[in-house]
Amino acid sequence: MSNDNEEVLLDKEKRNDLKVKEVRKEGEPTPAFKGASWAALLVGVASYLIGLFNATMQLNEKGFYFAVLVFGLYSAISLQKAVRDKDEGIPVTSIYYGISWFALIVSIALMAIGLYNAGSIVLSEKGFFSMAFVLSLFAAITVQKNIRDTQRARERV
């Protein structure tokens, strides 16, 4: 009986050895982290846009909130790139660095002021839009970071 158990264990070990494990390069994010980042970005943006589509506000208001989302995503990615470039010793002009910070602050302020002054939106919808906006900004930063980390890890080879 002991012999049978040993053979089963050896067979399992052989099968485990046959599995090809993808080797990550140093500094490269895991596939799970990359997937979670992309999923968060898609969920955040899709939720925001579906909520915007279904909202009972005027078309010009919908356009404003859409423009704020696009502006916020772009400014968050731009700021993340500028901060990281500066940290890694890649030249970044102070005007670009300052504009990146300014753009992100303005996009967040526009969202906050717009939601605060929106009389046609109930409080729960305001919370929904603000949370979808924040999730989208954070996820966009994370996706951009993952892309850059993956590229850098592959260049080291």
Side-chain angles (χ1 to χ4, degrees), residues 6-22:
E6 289 175 8
E7 286 179 29
V8 170
L9 288 173
L10 287 174
D11 285 342
K12 285 183 179 178
E13 289 175 5
K14 286 180 185 176
R15 277 186 264 140
N16 287 339
D17 289 344
L18 293 176
K19 291 180 183 176
V20 178
K21 186 175 180 182
E22 184 179 321

Side-chain angles (χ1 to χ4, degrees), residues 53-109:
F53 179 78
N54 290 317
T56 57
M57 58 181 82
Q58 293 182 3
L59 197 54
N60 62 340
E61 289 178 277
K62 289 182 180 185
F64 169 79
Y65 287 110
F66 177 74
V68 169
L69 175 67
V70 173
F71 181 43
L73 291 173
Y74 181 79
S75 63
I77 291 169
S78 182
L79 177 61
Q80 193 273 349
K81 182 182 178 341
V83 167
R84 185 155 175 183
D85 283 353
K86 199 171 188 180
D87 185 57
E88 293 175 354
I90 299 170
V92 176
T93 62
S94 57
I95 189 78
Y96 183 80
Y97 186 72
I99 288 172
S100 296
W101 269 111
F102 179 74
L104 182 62
I105 291 167
V106 166
S107 70
I108 293 169

